[in-house]
Amino acid sequence: MPRQPEPSPPRLPSLSLRGRGGSIWLEAGAVWLEEKEARRRIPVAAVEGARVTGRGGRAVEVALWGADGAPGPVFVVEGRDATAAARLVEVINQARPRTGPPEGGASLVDVLPPGTSEAVRRRRRRARAEASAVLAVYLGGIAGLALAGEMDRATMWATGIGPLALGVLVVGTGAAAARRRWVLRKRGVAVVARFSHGGRKKRYFRYTDLEGGHHEIVADHAAPKVGGDPNRIEVVYDAEDPARAVCTLAVRTLVSRTAGVVLFGVPILVLGLAMTVGQVVSLFF
């Protein structure tokens, strides 16, 4: 008797829900859960049911089939969009089977390394520390000028933080992007990334490094499509840190963005420095 072919996984829409502590999305007939500790691929066959929970109905709870009469594991992702959460739950419940595997759903789950590397987490911690330091300097400057009786200068300092922050954001982001591209120009590896999940605002693409590791990158909206296929783009990743990558961009795109930083960001930054740092310097000269 010929062997019956295995049923193919159900076709699911590429829905996703992201939150502070993790994210959940649908891909290739499976529910994907990503947390700080790990990433889990849960086939739809392992899911007993899903429901909306949490404050405002923005969280998704996914329960797996149990074994031997015991309940299965339950995973919860705290999201930010109640509509997206409800849509995810509806699709999962429509696709899930009505009976579970005898061994339970947990046996079908693949546990993979987290998508966020330790290097990325270190950069995020450093960014939070830098933001705290900037806030301390800002409040300290206002207090210092006020105590010195320079209320006009204190007001200038307080209002000048707006253009200063905007200028630092524009110039700093442009400089960081340019430096990253310069580094990757020397030691980068170009590969093709394929669409993974996401929507209009953010589209996540997945690429494989030379060692077989899988990584994701948020696509730049100006990234050219490989062969005209919107689900394929070219990225360049760092050979020393494969999780660090940039999308390949056309020369005209890079030139226009550089011009925008120089013509807009630099004047705003100079104005912000004059309204803040300049007020302190003028006290001594």
Side-chain angles (χ1 to χ4, degrees), residues 17-84:
L17 178 70
R18 301 184 67 83
R20 294 182 179 179
S23 59
I24 178 174
W25 70 92
L26 306 179
E27 178 185 358
V31 179
W32 289 77
L33 295 174
E34 184 176 54
E35 300 169 317
K36 293 182 179 180
E37 295 78 15
R39 176 183 296 190
R40 291 178 173 85
R41 179 187 177 276
I42 306 174
V44 173
V47 178
E48 181 180 10
R51 70 185 184 94
V52 174
T53 184
R55 183 178 180 181
R58 293 191 292 266
V60 171
E61 179 182 283
V62 179
L64 306 188
W65 290 101
D68 300 326
V74 176
F75 301 97
V76 179
V77 174
E78 298 286 346
R80 298 188 178 94
D81 189 337
T83 302

Side-chain angles (χ1 to χ4, degrees), residues 189-194 205-208 226 231-235:
V189 180
V191 294
V192 174
R194 298 182 180 275
F205 282 69
R206 180 172 299 172
Y207 62 94
T208 304
V226 176
N231 294 324
R232 299 168 66 219
I233 62 174
E234 184 182 75
V235 303

